[in-house]
Amino acid sequence: MRKVSLDAGLSESAAKHIIYGSSQSPRMDTIEKIASVLGVTVQEITGDEVAQPKNQIPLMRVPVIGKVQAGLWQDALEIPFNERYSISIPDVGDYPGLPRYGLKVAGDSMNRVFPEGTTVVIINFSDLGRLPRYGEYVVAERRCPERDCFEATVKAVEIREDGSVLLWPKSTNPEFQTPIELLSGGWEDGDGWGVPDVIIKGLVVAVYQVPTLATF
């Protein structure tokens, strides 16, 4: 409870009263902060049922927990708990019930598919229980060569007949036209799929993009 309160920027007493329903008329933005920290919906805290109009596509809330580089390998940056937020996306498609999270894209190596500022929604392959497939968009991680950390990037998967894997950029930038080559693959520690230093961590299952101004 203390960790939740600190991450949400609240006193421990205030967080406790909101979570257990004893707070009188708590602010909605406060409830949303706690829900984001806990990785649950606002309705799970308030106990309210949200009535869906007929023929309306149901929405789901996805926590945005970090940033991913679409370009060179960069540190896998997690957003501090008190700065995390959630996005609403249609609750449709495959893989119902599996946990998912959002990563904000930086860089332009995937700008033909995911322009900078796009949020990609990810399900980890450890939750999917399968290998990556030809043509899918994925988030890959590798161990930093010189530091004790992980770096991440988003790429498209090509699987060749010999079993080797290429992770391709999809960019209008001529600097990003060369794939990352994985010479062999396999499960590693149940966390993902890849080679000892590179793991294909998660599958891109949805995209959230805020409209931007046109360029001419």
Side-chain angles (χ1 to χ4, degrees), residues 9-144:
L10 302 170
S11 69
E12 188 171 347
S13 175
K16 180 177 180 180
H17 284 303
I18 291 173
I19 291 172
Y20 290 110
S22 57
S23 177
Q24 298 296 318
S25 302
R27 291 164 52 100
M28 182 54 67
D29 61 342
T30 302
I31 298 175
E32 289 177 345
K33 283 183 180 179
I34 293 176
S36 179
V37 169
L38 293 174
V40 301
T41 66
V42 169
Q43 287 71 37
E44 287 179 87
I45 294 179
T46 63
D48 295 333
E49 293 291 335
V50 179
Q52 294 286 347
K54 290 183 178 180
N55 301 323
Q56 179 172 316
I57 297 175
L59 298 177
M60 66 183 303
R61 300 282 286 177
V62 176
V64 179
I65 66 169
K67 299 177 181 179
V68 65
Q69 182 74 13
L72 303 175
W73 292 101
Q74 296 289 339
D75 287 357
L77 297 176
E78 287 197 4
I79 299 174
F81 278 106
N82 63 338
E83 297 178 14
R84 292 183 181 182
Y85 57 94
S86 296
I87 57 175
S88 295
I89 63 172
D91 189 8
V92 296
D94 299 329
Y95 321 116
L98 293 181
R100 58 202 73 196
Y101 55 91
L103 298 172
K104 195 167 185 178
V105 174
D108 62 357
S109 81
M110 294 295 288
N111 65 358
R112 287 169 50 194
V113 185
F114 310 128
E116 185 166 18
T118 296
T119 298
V120 289
V121 178
I122 308 298
I123 297 178
N124 286 339
F125 280 103
S126 58
D127 292 315
L128 289 168
R130 68 166 177 84
L131 303 179
R133 296 169 182 164
Y134 183 96
E136 291 181 328
Y137 295 103
V138 299
V139 169
E141 289 185 350
R142 75 170 179 178
R143 294 182 180 88
C144 302

